[in-house]
Amino acid sequence: MSQDQLVSLALKALIQEVTLTPKPGLVDPYHPGAHTDMDAFTFIDSCFALVPGFHVYYEIGAQHHGTLPELFANIRQAGIDNETKMFTATANVNTHKGANFMFGILIAAIAYLDYPDLETLQTSIQTMTAGLVQAELGSLTQFQTHGEKMYEQYGFTGIRGEVEAGMPHAFNLALPILKNESVPYDQRLKRALLQLIATNDDANMVKRGGILGLDYGKSLAAMDYHDLDYHLSYMNRMFVQRNLSPGGSADLLAITIFLYLYDKERF
């Protein structure tokens, strides 16, 4: 697999996530979910704006000769630069901040390790980001960003904790759902999204609805249902009423799609 092919898989994953419909509280081609400042076109602009930075992550990883923690340090500025490109493309709307962070880690690690299997990739992510929560959250005396305040108030480690643990929501919970190829692909994606919403302490949900909003969203996602699309549409109506959007879970779905495609196509 070439650099171009790997970056294309990341782009494909992002586009599949935004075009999946119906989704609860999230932007899709037919409904903006709980958002008034973005639509599917905003997300498409964001997807393509991130691509040059994905190539930068790859090149940093491929040229790196130090340790995995040093590789993580080396991509941080590239991540900030790519986030700036995203905000420029979206008129300062946060579409893919979390996804950009996780894709930076994944793409750089894959290039550095020369296309590892998924088990090696996951353990390498853990090594790469070891100590991140303590370094960036545990040592704080002032909590300013939403993620920092969530850590202070609830002990939620957010995306930092997710990557330090090796992205377990993607690798261990959602990816096995996508691998069940006896189920139609779009249904696997929707089931994986429900699993993510039901288990992820999503910062976006807390920001919009507090802990009660997070718990409400988790409970709906964990409910039994007879018709998957009807259940997702019902969830969307309830989420919109409460201004809830599981954006962190959407980012994790894009990561899961990427891992699934990468595992199928890496050779």
Side-chain angles (χ1 to χ4, degrees):
M1 182 186 293
S2 69
Q3 174 181 341
D4 286 345
Q5 288 170 322
L6 184 72
V7 170
S8 290
L9 291 186
L11 175 62
K12 182 187 289 188
L14 288 169
I15 292 175
Q16 286 189 9
E17 184 282 313
V18 73
T19 55
L20 184 68
T21 185
K23 296 195 298 282
L26 297 164
V27 171
D28 67 34
Y30 300 102
H31 200 282
H35 299 275
T36 58
D37 58 349
M38 61 180 88
D39 58 19
F41 294 108
T42 316
F43 271 82
I44 297 297
D45 289 343
S46 175
C47 290
F48 282 89
L50 292 173
V51 167
F54 288 173
H55 283 284
V56 174
Y57 299 144
Y58 186 97
E59 289 159 7
I60 292 172
Q63 295 167 12
H64 183 68
H65 299 292
T67 65
L68 281 164
E70 289 168 347
L71 174 59
F72 180 62
N74 285 351
I75 63 169
R76 294 304 289 272
Q77 186 58 52
I80 294 168
D81 293 344
N82 214 32
E83 184 181 298
T84 300
K85 292 177 182 176
M86 174 200 77
F87 280 123
T88 299
T90 64
N92 291 317
V93 174
N94 177 11
T95 42
H96 289 120
K97 185 174 180 177
N100 175 53
F101 181 67
M102 290 186 284
F103 272 118
I105 293 168
L106 284 168
I107 293 170
I110 288 169
Y112 174 69
L113 298 164
D114 195 19
Y115 299 94
D117 59 49
L118 290 182
E119 183 178 353
T120 302
L121 179 58
Q122 185 175 27
T123 57
S124 298
I125 291 167
Q126 292 168 329
T127 302
M128 192 173 174
T129 59
L132 180 62
V133 170
Q134 177 58 33
E136 297 196 1
L137 293 176
S139 60
L140 289 175
T141 56
Q142 290 185 320
F143 300 87
Q144 298 179 334
T145 69
H146 174 62
E148 292 167 359
K149 290 175 182 175
M150 273 190 41
Y151 179 77
E152 178 190 28
Q153 294 173 353
Y154 309 115
F156 290 169
T157 57
I159 196 170
R160 295 174 180 88
E162 182 70 23
V163 297
E164 188 174 351
M167 304 182 192
H169 283 90
F171 278 91
N172 305 124
L173 293 177
L175 185 57
I177 297 171
L178 292 197
K179 287 185 173 182
N180 180 10
E181 297 188 354
S182 65
V183 177
Y185 184 58
D186 73 309
Q187 290 190 32
R188 282 181 268 158
L189 294 179
K190 293 167 186 175
R191 291 178 184 182
L193 178 60
L194 282 174
Q195 177 67 29
L196 291 167
I197 296 171
T199 56
N200 180 32
D201 291 330
D202 195 312
N204 290 276
M205 294 287 279
V206 178
K207 185 175 184 178
R208 287 169 165 264
I211 292 297
L212 290 178
L214 174 66
D215 290 344
Y216 176 78
K218 284 183 170 184
S219 67
L220 278 193
M223 283 175 56
D224 292 332
Y225 55 84
H226 297 293
D227 183 299
L228 179 56
D229 278 6
Y230 180 86
H231 181 58
L232 288 166
S233 296
Y234 169 74
M235 285 181 64
N236 185 52
R237 292 194 299 274
M238 297 301 100
F239 278 29
V240 170
Q241 284 182 15
R242 291 163 174 79
N243 194 35
L244 298 173
S245 174
S249 297
D251 287 340
L252 285 166
L253 179 62
I255 294 299
T256 307
I257 296 168
F258 172 75
L259 294 172
Y260 172 72
L261 298 174
Y262 167 76
D263 193 47
K264 285 172 67 77
E265 300 183 27
R266 69 188 181 98
F267 296 120

PDB file of all heavy atoms in Angstrom, residues 110-139:
ATOM      1  N   ILE A 110       1.575   4.159  11.387  1.00  0.00           N
ATOM      2  CA  ILE A 110       1.568   3.172  10.296  1.00  0.00           C
ATOM      3  C   ILE A 110       2.783   3.367   9.398  1.00  0.00           C
ATOM      4  O   ILE A 110       3.449   2.390   8.996  1.00  0.00           O
ATOM      5  CB  ILE A 110       0.261   3.277   9.490  1.00  0.00           C
ATOM      6  CG1 ILE A 110      -0.909   2.731  10.324  1.00  0.00           C
ATOM      7  CG2 ILE A 110       0.361   2.528   8.169  1.00  0.00           C
ATOM      8  CD1 ILE A 110      -2.278   3.033   9.743  1.00  0.00           C
ATOM      9  N   ALA A 111       3.098   4.613   9.070  1.00  0.00           N
ATOM     10  CA  ALA A 111       4.258   4.871   8.216  1.00  0.00           C
ATOM     11  C   ALA A 111       5.557   4.481   8.918  1.00  0.00           C
ATOM     12  O   ALA A 111       6.454   3.866   8.317  1.00  0.00           O
ATOM     13  CB  ALA A 111       4.283   6.345   7.826  1.00  0.00           C
ATOM     14  N   TYR A 112       5.665   4.829  10.196  1.00  0.00           N
ATOM     15  CA  TYR A 112       6.876   4.534  10.979  1.00  0.00           C
ATOM     16  C   TYR A 112       7.092   3.024  11.104  1.00  0.00           C
ATOM     17  O   TYR A 112       8.222   2.530  10.992  1.00  0.00           O
ATOM     18  CB  TYR A 112       6.740   5.170  12.352  1.00  0.00           C
ATOM     19  CG  TYR A 112       7.830   4.840  13.336  1.00  0.00           C
ATOM     20  CD1 TYR A 112       9.126   5.328  13.169  1.00  0.00           C
ATOM     21  CD2 TYR A 112       7.561   4.066  14.459  1.00  0.00           C
ATOM     22  CE1 TYR A 112      10.129   5.037  14.096  1.00  0.00           C
ATOM     23  CE2 TYR A 112       8.543   3.772  15.389  1.00  0.00           C
ATOM     24  CZ  TYR A 112       9.829   4.257  15.200  1.00  0.00           C
ATOM     25  OH  TYR A 112      10.815   3.965  16.118  1.00  0.00           O
ATOM     26  N   LEU A 113       6.005   2.285  11.327  1.00  0.00           N
ATOM     27  CA  LEU A 113       6.102   0.842  11.562  1.00  0.00           C
ATOM     28  C   LEU A 113       5.996   0.024  10.276  1.00  0.00           C
ATOM     29  O   LEU A 113       6.045  -1.204  10.333  1.00  0.00           O
ATOM     30  CB  LEU A 113       4.994   0.414  12.530  1.00  0.00           C
ATOM     31  CG  LEU A 113       5.066   1.047  13.929  1.00  0.00           C
ATOM     32  CD1 LEU A 113       3.739   0.873  14.660  1.00  0.00           C
ATOM     33  CD2 LEU A 113       6.212   0.451  14.732  1.00  0.00           C
ATOM     34  N   ASP A 114       5.860   0.694   9.150  1.00  0.00           N
ATOM     35  CA  ASP A 114       5.794   0.046   7.841  1.00  0.00           C
ATOM     36  C   ASP A 114       4.597  -0.910   7.747  1.00  0.00           C
ATOM     37  O   ASP A 114       4.746  -2.094   7.500  1.00  0.00           O
ATOM     38  CB  ASP A 114       7.097  -0.690   7.517  1.00  0.00           C
ATOM     39  CG  ASP A 114       7.209  -1.056   6.043  1.00  0.00           C
ATOM     40  OD1 ASP A 114       6.496  -0.446   5.223  1.00  0.00           O
ATOM     41  OD2 ASP A 114       8.006  -1.965   5.718  1.00  0.00           O
ATOM     42  N   TYR A 115       3.418  -0.380   7.970  1.00  0.00           N
ATOM     43  CA  TYR A 115       2.151  -1.080   7.784  1.00  0.00           C
ATOM     44  C   TYR A 115       2.011  -2.283   8.716  1.00  0.00           C
ATOM     45  O   TYR A 115       1.956  -3.431   8.279  1.00  0.00           O
ATOM     46  CB  TYR A 115       1.964  -1.485   6.317  1.00  0.00           C
ATOM     47  CG  TYR A 115       1.929  -0.282   5.403  1.00  0.00           C
ATOM     48  CD1 TYR A 115       3.091   0.174   4.780  1.00  0.00           C
ATOM     49  CD2 TYR A 115       0.754   0.415   5.184  1.00  0.00           C
ATOM     50  CE1 TYR A 115       3.071   1.304   3.966  1.00  0.00           C
ATOM     51  CE2 TYR A 115       0.714   1.538   4.366  1.00  0.00           C
ATOM     52  CZ  TYR A 115       1.877   1.978   3.761  1.00  0.00           C
ATOM     53  OH  TYR A 115       1.851   3.082   2.972  1.00  0.00           O
ATOM     54  N   PRO A 116       1.937  -2.029  10.003  1.00  0.00           N
ATOM     55  CA  PRO A 116       1.825  -3.116  10.982  1.00  0.00           C
ATOM     56  C   PRO A 116       0.432  -3.744  10.987  1.00  0.00           C
ATOM     57  O   PRO A 116      -0.522  -3.181  10.443  1.00  0.00           O
ATOM     58  CB  PRO A 116       2.073  -2.391  12.309  1.00  0.00           C
ATOM     59  CG  PRO A 116       1.496  -1.026  12.070  1.00  0.00           C
ATOM     60  CD  PRO A 116       1.863  -0.696  10.638  1.00  0.00           C
ATOM     61  N   ASP A 117       0.316  -4.926  11.625  1.00  0.00           N
ATOM     62  CA  ASP A 117      -1.012  -5.479  11.851  1.00  0.00           C
ATOM     63  C   ASP A 117      -1.714  -4.658  12.928  1.00  0.00           C
ATOM     64  O   ASP A 117      -1.096  -3.827  13.601  1.00  0.00           O
ATOM     65  CB  ASP A 117      -0.941  -6.953  12.242  1.00  0.00           C
ATOM     66  CG  ASP A 117      -0.134  -7.204  13.512  1.00  0.00           C
ATOM     67  OD1 ASP A 117      -0.364  -6.511  14.528  1.00  0.00           O
ATOM     68  OD2 ASP A 117       0.736  -8.085  13.500  1.00  0.00           O
ATOM     69  N   LEU A 118      -3.008  -4.898  13.090  1.00  0.00           N
ATOM     70  CA  LEU A 118      -3.797  -4.044  13.986  1.00  0.00           C
ATOM     71  C   LEU A 118      -3.371  -4.172  15.442  1.00  0.00           C
ATOM     72  O   LEU A 118      -3.380  -3.183  16.182  1.00  0.00           O
ATOM     73  CB  LEU A 118      -5.284  -4.379  13.850  1.00  0.00           C
ATOM     74  CG  LEU A 118      -5.950  -3.982  12.532  1.00  0.00           C
ATOM     75  CD1 LEU A 118      -7.430  -4.334  12.568  1.00  0.00           C
ATOM     76  CD2 LEU A 118      -5.775  -2.493  12.239  1.00  0.00           C
ATOM     77  N   GLU A 119      -3.000  -5.372  15.870  1.00  0.00           N
ATOM     78  CA  GLU A 119      -2.575  -5.548  17.265  1.00  0.00           C
ATOM     79  C   GLU A 119      -1.311  -4.748  17.550  1.00  0.00           C
ATOM     80  O   GLU A 119      -1.210  -4.059  18.576  1.00  0.00           O
ATOM     81  CB  GLU A 119      -2.337  -7.032  17.560  1.00  0.00           C
ATOM     82  CG  GLU A 119      -1.970  -7.308  19.003  1.00  0.00           C
ATOM     83  CD  GLU A 119      -1.787  -8.790  19.297  1.00  0.00           C
ATOM     84  OE1 GLU A 119      -2.076  -9.626  18.425  1.00  0.00           O
ATOM     85  OE2 GLU A 119      -1.347  -9.113  20.421  1.00  0.00           O
ATOM     86  N   THR A 120      -0.347  -4.821  16.635  1.00  0.00           N
ATOM     87  CA  THR A 120       0.888  -4.042  16.798  1.00  0.00           C
ATOM     88  C   THR A 120       0.602  -2.553  16.750  1.00  0.00           C
ATOM     89  O   THR A 120       1.169  -1.768  17.524  1.00  0.00           O
ATOM     90  CB  THR A 120       1.896  -4.417  15.697  1.00  0.00           C
ATOM     91  OG1 THR A 120       2.155  -5.821  15.756  1.00  0.00           O
ATOM     92  CG2 THR A 120       3.193  -3.644  15.856  1.00  0.00           C
ATOM     93  N   LEU A 121      -0.293  -2.159  15.859  1.00  0.00           N
ATOM     94  CA  LEU A 121      -0.643  -0.741  15.745  1.00  0.00           C
ATOM     95  C   LEU A 121      -1.246  -0.234  17.046  1.00  0.00           C
ATOM     96  O   LEU A 121      -0.882   0.848  17.537  1.00  0.00           O
ATOM     97  CB  LEU A 121      -1.618  -0.547  14.587  1.00  0.00           C
ATOM     98  CG  LEU A 121      -2.117   0.882  14.335  1.00  0.00           C
ATOM     99  CD1 LEU A 121      -0.959   1.838  14.071  1.00  0.00           C
ATOM    100  CD2 LEU A 121      -3.112   0.899  13.166  1.00  0.00           C
ATOM    101  N   GLN A 122      -2.155  -1.000  17.638  1.00  0.00           N
ATOM    102  CA  GLN A 122      -2.798  -0.544  18.864  1.00  0.00           C
ATOM    103  C   GLN A 122      -1.801  -0.430  20.017  1.00  0.00           C
ATOM    104  O   GLN A 122      -1.796   0.572  20.743  1.00  0.00           O
ATOM    105  CB  GLN A 122      -3.943  -1.476  19.262  1.00  0.00           C
ATOM    106  CG  GLN A 122      -4.713  -0.964  20.477  1.00  0.00           C
ATOM    107  CD  GLN A 122      -5.921  -1.799  20.814  1.00  0.00           C
ATOM    108  OE1 GLN A 122      -5.975  -2.998  20.511  1.00  0.00           O
ATOM    109  NE2 GLN A 122      -6.924  -1.181  21.431  1.00  0.00           N
ATOM    110  N   THR A 123      -0.960  -1.423  20.208  1.00  0.00           N
ATOM    111  CA  THR A 123       0.019  -1.346  21.301  1.00  0.00           C
ATOM    112  C   THR A 123       1.018  -0.221  21.059  1.00  0.00           C
ATOM    113  O   THR A 123       1.488   0.412  22.019  1.00  0.00           O
ATOM    114  CB  THR A 123       0.763  -2.678  21.470  1.00  0.00           C
ATOM    115  OG1 THR A 123       1.405  -3.045  20.238  1.00  0.00           O
ATOM    116  CG2 THR A 123      -0.194  -3.789  21.881  1.00  0.00           C
ATOM    117  N   SER A 124       1.313   0.048  19.806  1.00  0.00           N
ATOM    118  CA  SER A 124       2.247   1.139  19.490  1.00  0.00           C
ATOM    119  C   SER A 124       1.635   2.500  19.795  1.00  0.00           C
ATOM    120  O   SER A 124       2.337   3.413  20.237  1.00  0.00           O
ATOM    121  CB  SER A 124       2.659   1.060  18.019  1.00  0.00           C
ATOM    122  OG  SER A 124       3.345  -0.154  17.756  1.00  0.00           O
ATOM    123  N   ILE A 125       0.333   2.641  19.572  1.00  0.00           N
ATOM    124  CA  ILE A 125      -0.356   3.888  19.930  1.00  0.00           C
ATOM    125  C   ILE A 125      -0.286   4.104  21.440  1.00  0.00           C
ATOM    126  O   ILE A 125      -0.073   5.226  21.918  1.00  0.00           O
ATOM    127  CB  ILE A 125      -1.817   3.851  19.439  1.00  0.00           C
ATOM    128  CG1 ILE A 125      -1.870   3.920  17.917  1.00  0.00           C
ATOM    129  CG2 ILE A 125      -2.625   5.003  20.030  1.00  0.00           C
ATOM    130  CD1 ILE A 125      -3.235   3.570  17.351  1.00  0.00           C
ATOM    131  N   GLN A 126      -0.458   3.030  22.196  1.00  0.00           N
ATOM    132  CA  GLN A 126      -0.358   3.127  23.654  1.00  0.00           C
ATOM    133  C   GLN A 126       1.041   3.588  24.073  1.00  0.00           C
ATOM    134  O   GLN A 126       1.194   4.449  24.945  1.00  0.00           O
ATOM    135  CB  GLN A 126      -0.687   1.773  24.292  1.00  0.00           C
ATOM    136  CG  GLN A 126      -2.137   1.368  24.125  1.00  0.00           C
ATOM    137  CD  GLN A 126      -2.381  -0.087  24.489  1.00  0.00           C
ATOM    138  OE1 GLN A 126      -1.507  -0.935  24.330  1.00  0.00           O
ATOM    139  NE2 GLN A 126      -3.574  -0.380  24.986  1.00  0.00           N
ATOM    140  N   THR A 127       2.058   3.019  23.446  1.00  0.00           N
ATOM    141  CA  THR A 127       3.443   3.419  23.739  1.00  0.00           C
ATOM    142  C   THR A 127       3.696   4.860  23.319  1.00  0.00           C
ATOM    143  O   THR A 127       4.324   5.644  24.042  1.00  0.00           O
ATOM    144  CB  THR A 127       4.426   2.487  23.003  1.00  0.00           C
ATOM    145  OG1 THR A 127       4.187   1.138  23.402  1.00  0.00           O
ATOM    146  CG2 THR A 127       5.871   2.864  23.303  1.00  0.00           C
ATOM    147  N   MET A 128       3.179   5.212  22.180  1.00  0.00           N
ATOM    148  CA  MET A 128       3.395   6.527  21.583  1.00  0.00           C
ATOM    149  C   MET A 128       2.853   7.638  22.475  1.00  0.00           C
ATOM    150  O   MET A 128       3.450   8.715  22.579  1.00  0.00           O
ATOM    151  CB  MET A 128       2.704   6.542  20.216  1.00  0.00           C
ATOM    152  CG  MET A 128       3.016   7.677  19.286  1.00  0.00           C
ATOM    153  SD  MET A 128       2.221   7.321  17.688  1.00  0.00           S
ATOM    154  CE  MET A 128       2.563   8.855  16.818  1.00  0.00           C
ATOM    155  N   THR A 129       1.719   7.377  23.139  1.00  0.00           N
ATOM    156  CA  THR A 129       1.026   8.423  23.895  1.00  0.00           C
ATOM    157  C   THR A 129       1.043   8.171  25.403  1.00  0.00           C
ATOM    158  O   THR A 129       0.269   8.788  26.139  1.00  0.00           O
ATOM    159  CB  THR A 129      -0.430   8.537  23.408  1.00  0.00           C
ATOM    160  OG1 THR A 129      -1.089   7.276  23.587  1.00  0.00           O
ATOM    161  CG2 THR A 129      -0.489   8.936  21.939  1.00  0.00           C
ATOM    162  N   ALA A 130       1.908   7.287  25.860  1.00  0.00           N
ATOM    163  CA  ALA A 130       1.967   6.954  27.289  1.00  0.00           C
ATOM    164  C   ALA A 130       2.225   8.208  28.123  1.00  0.00           C
ATOM    165  O   ALA A 130       3.091   9.020  27.800  1.00  0.00           O
ATOM    166  CB  ALA A 130       3.072   5.922  27.539  1.00  0.00           C
ATOM    167  N   GLY A 131       1.434   8.379  29.180  1.00  0.00           N
ATOM    168  CA  GLY A 131       1.608   9.524  30.075  1.00  0.00           C
ATOM    169  C   GLY A 131       0.945  10.798  29.628  1.00  0.00           C
ATOM    170  O   GLY A 131       1.072  11.840  30.288  1.00  0.00           O
ATOM    171  N   LEU A 132       0.189  10.749  28.522  1.00  0.00           N
ATOM    172  CA  LEU A 132      -0.395  11.964  27.953  1.00  0.00           C
ATOM    173  C   LEU A 132      -1.406  12.611  28.900  1.00  0.00           C
ATOM    174  O   LEU A 132      -1.414  13.835  29.073  1.00  0.00           O
ATOM    175  CB  LEU A 132      -1.054  11.633  26.613  1.00  0.00           C
ATOM    176  CG  LEU A 132      -1.730  12.788  25.865  1.00  0.00           C
ATOM    177  CD1 LEU A 132      -0.715  13.865  25.508  1.00  0.00           C
ATOM    178  CD2 LEU A 132      -2.436  12.274  24.617  1.00  0.00           C
ATOM    179  N   VAL A 133      -2.267  11.798  29.507  1.00  0.00           N
ATOM    180  CA  VAL A 133      -3.294  12.354  30.388  1.00  0.00           C
ATOM    181  C   VAL A 133      -2.654  13.066  31.579  1.00  0.00           C
ATOM    182  O   VAL A 133      -3.029  14.196  31.921  1.00  0.00           O
ATOM    183  CB  VAL A 133      -4.254  11.249  30.870  1.00  0.00           C
ATOM    184  CG1 VAL A 133      -5.174  11.774  31.970  1.00  0.00           C
ATOM    185  CG2 VAL A 133      -5.086  10.729  29.699  1.00  0.00           C
ATOM    186  N   GLN A 134      -1.685  12.421  32.206  1.00  0.00           N
ATOM    187  CA  GLN A 134      -1.021  13.051  33.349  1.00  0.00           C
ATOM    188  C   GLN A 134      -0.267  14.306  32.925  1.00  0.00           C
ATOM    189  O   GLN A 134      -0.315  15.333  33.614  1.00  0.00           O
ATOM    190  CB  GLN A 134      -0.053  12.060  34.012  1.00  0.00           C
ATOM    191  CG  GLN A 134       0.756  12.640  35.168  1.00  0.00           C
ATOM    192  CD  GLN A 134      -0.118  13.198  36.288  1.00  0.00           C
ATOM    193  OE1 GLN A 134      -1.206  12.688  36.547  1.00  0.00           O
ATOM    194  NE2 GLN A 134       0.333  14.249  36.958  1.00  0.00           N
ATOM    195  N   ALA A 135       0.388  14.252  31.792  1.00  0.00           N
ATOM    196  CA  ALA A 135       1.194  15.387  31.336  1.00  0.00           C
ATOM    197  C   ALA A 135       0.343  16.594  30.988  1.00  0.00           C
ATOM    198  O   ALA A 135       0.730  17.738  31.268  1.00  0.00           O
ATOM    199  CB  ALA A 135       2.040  14.975  30.125  1.00  0.00           C
ATOM    200  N   GLU A 136      -0.835  16.354  30.381  1.00  0.00           N
ATOM    201  CA  GLU A 136      -1.621  17.476  29.865  1.00  0.00           C
ATOM    202  C   GLU A 136      -2.872  17.789  30.676  1.00  0.00           C
ATOM    203  O   GLU A 136      -3.440  18.869  30.525  1.00  0.00           O
ATOM    204  CB  GLU A 136      -1.991  17.207  28.405  1.00  0.00           C
ATOM    205  CG  GLU A 136      -0.761  17.116  27.508  1.00  0.00           C
ATOM    206  CD  GLU A 136      -1.085  17.232  26.037  1.00  0.00           C
ATOM    207  OE1 GLU A 136      -2.270  17.403  25.682  1.00  0.00           O
ATOM    208  OE2 GLU A 136      -0.139  17.151  25.232  1.00  0.00           O
ATOM    209  N   LEU A 137      -3.293  16.866  31.532  1.00  0.00           N
ATOM    210  CA  LEU A 137      -4.481  17.116  32.356  1.00  0.00           C
ATOM    211  C   LEU A 137      -4.179  17.006  33.848  1.00  0.00           C
ATOM    212  O   LEU A 137      -4.567  17.857  34.638  1.00  0.00           O
ATOM    213  CB  LEU A 137      -5.606  16.136  31.990  1.00  0.00           C
ATOM    214  CG  LEU A 137      -6.219  16.277  30.595  1.00  0.00           C
ATOM    215  CD1 LEU A 137      -7.253  15.177  30.363  1.00  0.00           C
ATOM    216  CD2 LEU A 137      -6.840  17.643  30.384  1.00  0.00           C
ATOM    217  N   GLY A 138      -3.487  15.943  34.223  1.00  0.00           N
ATOM    218  CA  GLY A 138      -3.251  15.686  35.637  1.00  0.00           C
ATOM    219  C   GLY A 138      -2.391  16.723  36.325  1.00  0.00           C
ATOM    220  O   GLY A 138      -2.480  16.902  37.547  1.00  0.00           O
ATOM    221  N   SER A 139      -1.569  17.417  35.563  1.00  0.00           N
ATOM    222  CA  SER A 139      -0.662  18.402  36.149  1.00  0.00           C
ATOM    223  C   SER A 139      -1.238  19.812  36.162  1.00  0.00           C
ATOM    224  O   SER A 139      -0.588  20.751  36.631  1.00  0.00           O
ATOM    225  CB  SER A 139       0.660  18.399  35.367  1.00  0.00           C
ATOM    226  OG  SER A 139       0.425  18.720  34.001  1.00  0.00           O
TER     227      SER A 139
END
